[in-house]
Amino acid sequence: MSDLTIHFLKPGDWAETIHIHLWDTAPRHEFTAWPGWKMTAEEDGWYAITLPGIESARLVINDAHGHQTSDLARRGSGWLTADGRWFDEKPDIKAPPPPHRAGPSSGPGRTPSIEETIGPVEARKDFRAETIYFMLTARWYDGDPSNNFFCRDRMRFDGSGKAIDPHWRGDFKGLIERLDYIRDLGFTAIWITPPVENRSGLDYHGYHAYDWTRIDPRLESPDATYQDLIDAAHEKGIKIIQDVVVNHSCQYGIRGKVWIDHLPIKYFVPQGSQQGQVNHGPYQGNLGNYAWPNRDDIDNPVAPDWYKERHNRDPEGKEPLVDPKTGETVPKEGYNPGRFFGVDANELDPEWYHQEGFISGGDWESQHPLQHKHLAGDCIDLATRRQNVKDYIIGSINRYLDMGVDALRIDTVKHVERDNLLEYVNAWKAHKPGLFVFGENLVKGYGWGDLGGGDNGPSPIRPWWYTRLGHDPQDPNSGGDSGFPQLDFGLFSTFRDNLSRGSFGGVGTVLNMDWIYGNATELVTFLQNHDVGPDNDFRFRFKGDQWMAAAAYNLLWTVRGIPCLYYGEEIEFMKGAPQDVIGNDDTLESTGRAYFGDHLTDEAIGNTQSHPLYQHIKRLNMIRRSVPALQKAGMSNLNEWGGGMGFVRDLNDGESYAVVGLAIGGDQQVTVGGVRNGLYRDCVTGGEIGVGDGTISFHVKGNSAGIWVLDGPGKIGEDGMYLR
Ligand SMILES: [Ca+2]
Ligand SMILES: [Ca+2]
């Protein structure tokens, strides 16, 4: 019996993780789990593996990142090239060079690259060419366990009482290692949650900023800094969108700038306990930050002397400390938790914070309290009109723009008055001309404000208001485009009543209101995100059938706006789970914010990439990249009838011109009148139609799309379960 040695010449555009998947081996029957066994690199681009005691096998060689050979068979050792040719002896061929960056932009079965379609990062000036992959960095892929960190709150324990699944887990090193995954899926921009240093009992998401000038060390590694991430993404043709909070800081103040009074957490002793008895995962003895030798939570140089005196010593929290506010001495069992974890809204520094207390029930639809009260105990409302606040936040973010950050996403937009927030946005645009900045103005409904549509709130807290410059709440045209587009919560909100029920009914109504926005083609569209999903309560990961999601992506990738996918949607990750913790005992693994990295390991990634929605989204990205009208044009000739839709995307009077038909549930015949005459080609089926009388009519299969482009490129990509 002899051994079978397989050599394989890796094509230049394959990843370096070459695997061999085997089945029907002889003489004994064996098969591997996809993607199979890892092959070892040899010289000149060859990879090899020896299979002891095997004489023949059927096999597929793959890179675990979406490239693979066809099904092959081999008896006896041999040398194989990616086109399926076998050689009994090593042929005189070397690895082909990496794919060149020019050439044919499309063709059946071929993936036109980012560079071939929309160009390298530095050449892409119009952000509407991009599509966005959004992730909570700390929950995506862990490349460096040494920076992992457990938050105090919502800690998860296994059956033996061991803390598992640290909140801060994914990091820049992991993201850099898996940039090829995002590139293969076809996204050209990544929106990461705020990377600046955070502080709170549950701060893994980045929205509780403590120091805007520093990147949180729980995301970085010595060989994977924020700068390394930006540079690596750009090399892959991918832009970085930084999430920025302007509205609030964490409850500890801002390092080096402002202090919010409280006692060091290491002196907190819960009722019924005593100092030194805390047993909470890595928090042993007390609840102070276990990663720091002094067990303090903050290191604010503007803290008062009594706090700083205790900062550097007494990590056990045992030495008596007098609370200067009450004269009582800690540690003391059950002593007012508010003195450790809370904020006294009456004693905040007015140079940095608003002085109007916390938001309560009736404030949510009322402009002034919404914009001047604190959002939550760990979100303290900054005095955003003050020059010192502006200087600090604008200056801090300018540094990241200088490092190469390509776009900004602004959090909690409706909590800052528009003209005030535009001071920040415009300062960043002045610092980096051409910068794309979009905002999050969360609304559950059309969001038409004073224009009606059943809206309880006024226009000045609604998305359209921030995209405009006028001051008449009943007239969007009282002012032009502010240049500050928003996430499209209006369109999203209708999905509760249509896409989630297998229909497009009502999508036409909201798209016909596009005129209210400064520029609707710059809105960022989505099916769901870390806060919301399109269900009755707007708080779960998409629960609908897979075909409904496929039809949703057909819609988002062909209507106006920039599509944004929330991590994991490509495999229906955590389908139906709450987007955030709901119950008092919930931990992250039961929510939509669960750790994704288990689907990105060398062993699992091949399976992840074979998901029908992964392949579907990959092809939609490929098609959108190849058709400028889908990226940038407005919509016209819109007709929506529940089971289907037809519309035109016309960029610059025919420069790029597409007629789109969508079908959800069953097949549809789509007829669109008033179109240009000429030869149309469908990017989905490759069909051709000559139009001479201004009307085009075509058949669309259920949950597929017709994307008929005038003088178009023809079929792009391969048919899948939905696009066909
Ligand atoms: Ca990590
Ligand atoms: Ca505010």
Side-chain angles (χ1 to χ4, degrees):
M1 198 187 293
S2 60
D3 299 339
L4 181 63
T5 298
I6 304 284
H7 305 264
F8 176 69
L9 185 61
K10 179 183 92 67
D13 60 343
W14 286 34
E16 285 163 18
T17 46
I18 302 300
H19 288 68
I20 184 167
H21 175 54
L22 299 169
W23 69 101
D24 285 355
T25 57
R28 62 177 194 273
H29 182 73
E30 265 190 46
F31 65 93
T32 58
W34 184 266
W37 290 323
K38 204 161 185 172
M39 297 178 74
T40 306
E42 300 181 302
E43 56 188 17
D44 298 338
W46 288 89
Y47 284 68
I49 190 168
T50 296
L51 309 163
I54 290 177
E55 290 170 2
S56 69
R58 299 188 66 195
L59 59 110
V60 164
I61 293 178
N62 66 87
D63 71 351
H65 287 74
H67 296 106
Q68 63 182 66
T69 64
S70 53
D71 291 1
L72 302 168
R74 181 68 185 177
R75 175 174 297 277
S77 298
W79 281 258
L80 171 69
T81 54
D83 55 7
R85 284 181 299 156
W86 286 99
F87 301 86
D88 293 333
E89 300 196 351
K90 185 177 180 184
D92 187 21
I93 314 175
K94 287 193 173 134
H100 50 102
R101 297 197 163 195
S105 64
S106 61
R110 204 182 150 275
T111 306
S113 73
I114 293 172
E115 290 79 5
E116 285 170 333
T117 45
I118 57 173
V121 164
E122 60 276 13
R124 301 196 319 250
K125 306 295 186 197
D126 188 333
F127 208 84
R128 295 174 299 182
E130 318 293 337
T131 58
I132 302 169
Y133 190 88
F134 168 41
M135 68 173 65
L136 282 77
T137 315
R139 306 303 296 163
W140 202 67
Y141 189 64
D142 187 4
D144 178 6
S146 76
N147 59 16
N148 291 0
F149 184 82
F150 288 92
C151 295
R152 275 195 308 274
D153 299 338
R154 305 284 177 166
M155 202 183 297
R156 181 183 171 197
F157 296 94
D158 68 10
S160 68
K162 182 172 171 250
I164 55 170
D165 189 16
H167 306 71
W168 291 85
R169 191 169 173 190
D171 46 40
F172 293 154
K173 189 169 170 108
L175 176 50
I176 291 169
E177 284 175 8
R178 285 296 180 263
L179 283 171
D180 278 333
Y181 172 86
I182 294 168
R183 182 180 162 96
D184 181 76
L185 187 49
F187 288 93
T188 60
I190 303 172
W191 157 16
I192 55 167
T193 37
V196 301
E197 190 165 353
N198 262 237
R199 203 67 88 232
S200 80
L202 195 62
D203 61 1
Y204 65 93
H205 46 59
Y207 295 104
H208 299 159
Y210 170 56
D211 189 340
W212 275 252
T213 70
R214 295 195 200 172
I215 296 300
D216 203 295
R218 295 167 290 190
L219 294 173
E220 290 193 314
S221 306
D223 58 345
T225 64
Y226 193 35
Q227 186 69 65
D228 292 331
L229 169 65
I230 294 166
D231 294 346
H234 287 178
E235 270 175 38
K236 300 280 185 189
I238 295 172
K239 293 185 175 181
I240 294 290
I241 304 167
Q242 181 168 335
D243 203 330
V244 175
V245 181
V246 172
N247 178 64
H248 54 264
S249 80
C250 72
Q251 80 264 41
Y252 296 100
I254 300 173
R255 181 191 273 134
K257 294 294 176 186
V258 59
W259 152 262
I260 294 179
D261 181 42
H262 71 291
L263 297 172
I265 288 173
K266 59 189 170 185
Y267 293 97
F268 172 69
V269 182
Q271 191 69 47
S273 182
Q274 51 184 299
Q275 192 61 315
Q277 296 302 299
V278 165
N279 177 12
H280 186 55
Y283 295 84
Q284 291 295 321
N286 64 59
L287 285 176
N289 181 345
Y290 68 88
W292 283 4
N294 56 21
R295 299 297 302 266
D296 200 353
D297 266 45
I298 58 166
D299 54 354
N300 202 336
V302 297
D305 289 343
W306 65 264
Y307 193 105
K308 282 194 286 194
E309 186 274 331
R310 202 52 67 90
H311 171 72
N312 287 320
R313 59 186 185 82
D314 191 22
E316 310 274 297
K318 284 181 172 165
E319 287 184 39
L321 173 70
V322 176
D323 180 351
K325 192 168 180 181
T326 63
E328 293 206 52
T329 300
V330 292
K332 180 182 177 188
E333 179 196 334
Y335 180 65
N336 182 11
R339 289 293 296 135
F340 300 92
F341 306 104
V343 169
D344 185 342
N346 298 316
E347 291 191 2
L348 294 166
D349 183 343
E351 293 206 358
W352 288 89
Y353 294 106
H354 286 142
Q355 307 292 315
E356 302 190 25
F358 285 88
I359 291 179
S360 59
D363 296 332
W364 285 97
E365 302 290 4
S366 182
Q367 184 185 0
H368 185 88
L370 194 68
Q371 295 178 343
H372 294 80
K373 294 187 175 187
H374 313 304
L375 189 52
D378 44 20
C379 302
I380 308 304
D381 211 59
L382 285 162
T384 46
R385 286 192 184 281
R386 290 191 53 84
Q387 194 62 45
N388 54 300
V389 175
K390 288 186 217 170
D391 288 347
Y392 173 71
I393 293 184
I394 292 169
S396 301
I397 301 303
N398 279 345
R399 197 180 127 248
Y400 305 119
L401 297 177
D402 293 341
M403 288 166 67
V405 163
D406 302 281
L408 302 176
R409 178 268 191 190
I410 311 300
D411 185 56
T412 44
V413 156
K414 67 182 171 189
H415 296 280
V416 184
E417 189 275 322
R418 181 195 66 192
D419 292 354
N420 180 205
L421 189 54
L422 285 176
E423 294 180 85
Y424 293 76
V425 171
N426 291 334
W428 290 317
K429 288 186 177 184
H431 188 77
K432 188 161 190 166
L435 181 73
F436 185 73
V437 186
F438 66 103
E440 174 231 20
N441 185 316
L442 199 157
V443 63
K444 296 165 181 172
Y446 291 135
W448 297 340
D450 295 301
L451 299 174
D455 199 332
N456 295 323
S459 296
I461 60 172
R462 291 304 183 229
W464 72 261
W465 183 260
Y466 287 80
T467 72
R468 290 282 193 173
L469 291 170
H471 288 89
D472 183 345
Q474 293 182 321
D475 182 11
N477 285 316
S478 65
D481 181 5
S482 69
F484 182 32
Q486 302 294 309
L487 284 155
D488 195 354
F489 276 89
L491 180 62
F492 156 77
S493 296
T494 72
F495 296 162
R496 176 188 65 178
D497 301 318
N498 44 54
L499 292 178
S500 288
R501 297 169 190 196
S503 161
F504 291 130
V507 169
T509 304
V510 66
L511 292 174
N512 278 323
M513 286 292 280
D514 273 357
W515 64 274
I516 66 177
Y517 296 105
N519 182 351
T521 67
E522 293 186 336
L523 296 173
V524 176
T525 57
F526 58 96
L527 175 64
Q528 58 188 317
N529 63 34
H530 56 327
D531 292 321
V532 294
D535 52 82
N536 271 340
D537 296 328
F538 290 114
R539 63 178 185 176
F540 295 91
R541 279 231 185 210
F542 185 67
K543 296 178 175 187
D545 292 342
Q546 191 182 94
W547 60 266
M548 296 177 192
Y553 302 133
N554 292 339
L555 175 82
L556 293 172
W557 263 254
T558 57
V559 300
R560 92 291 183 273
I562 301 166
C564 177
L565 193 88
Y566 182 41
Y567 82 96
E569 282 188 61
E570 64 272 29
I571 59 165
E572 301 176 284
F573 179 63
M574 297 304 293
K575 181 174 181 166
Q579 295 289 13
D580 198 1
V581 289
I582 290 181
N584 287 336
D585 299 322
D586 288 357
T587 47
L588 299 184
E589 93 287 357
S590 66
T591 73
R593 302 180 182 189
Y595 177 67
F596 189 62
D598 294 339
H599 297 278
L600 297 172
T601 61
D602 286 349
E603 293 69 33
I605 199 165
N607 193 39
T608 302
Q609 292 180 312
S610 65
H611 193 285
L613 288 184
Y614 181 101
Q615 293 297 329
H616 183 69
I617 292 161
K618 175 174 175 167
R619 189 175 182 204
L620 284 171
N621 273 327
M622 206 186 294
I623 292 171
R624 190 180 186 275
R625 281 205 307 271
S626 302
V627 182
L630 294 181
Q631 303 161 19
K632 300 165 191 168
M635 298 174 68
S636 59
N637 309 48
L638 173 65
N639 184 22
E640 174 259 295
W641 59 92
M645 285 176 68
F647 53 88
V648 170
R649 306 286 308 275
D650 179 4
L651 182 66
N652 299 335
D653 212 11
E655 183 183 302
S656 172
Y657 190 93
V659 181
V660 177
L662 304 176
I664 187 166
D667 291 16
Q668 296 287 332
Q669 185 69 23
V670 177
T671 303
V672 182
V675 303
R676 288 172 173 257
N677 290 330
L679 180 64
Y680 289 79
R681 294 190 188 91
D682 184 8
C683 297
V684 176
T685 62
E688 291 192 354
I689 296 177
V691 172
D693 61 355
T695 297
I696 184 170
S697 188
F698 51 90
H699 186 82
V700 183
K701 288 182 177 158
N703 309 314
S704 186
I707 302 170
W708 294 81
V709 179
L710 187 60
D711 299 319
K715 185 169 182 171
I716 296 173
E718 292 171 29
D719 285 352
M721 194 176 290
Y722 300 105
L723 284 175
R724 66 214 190 278

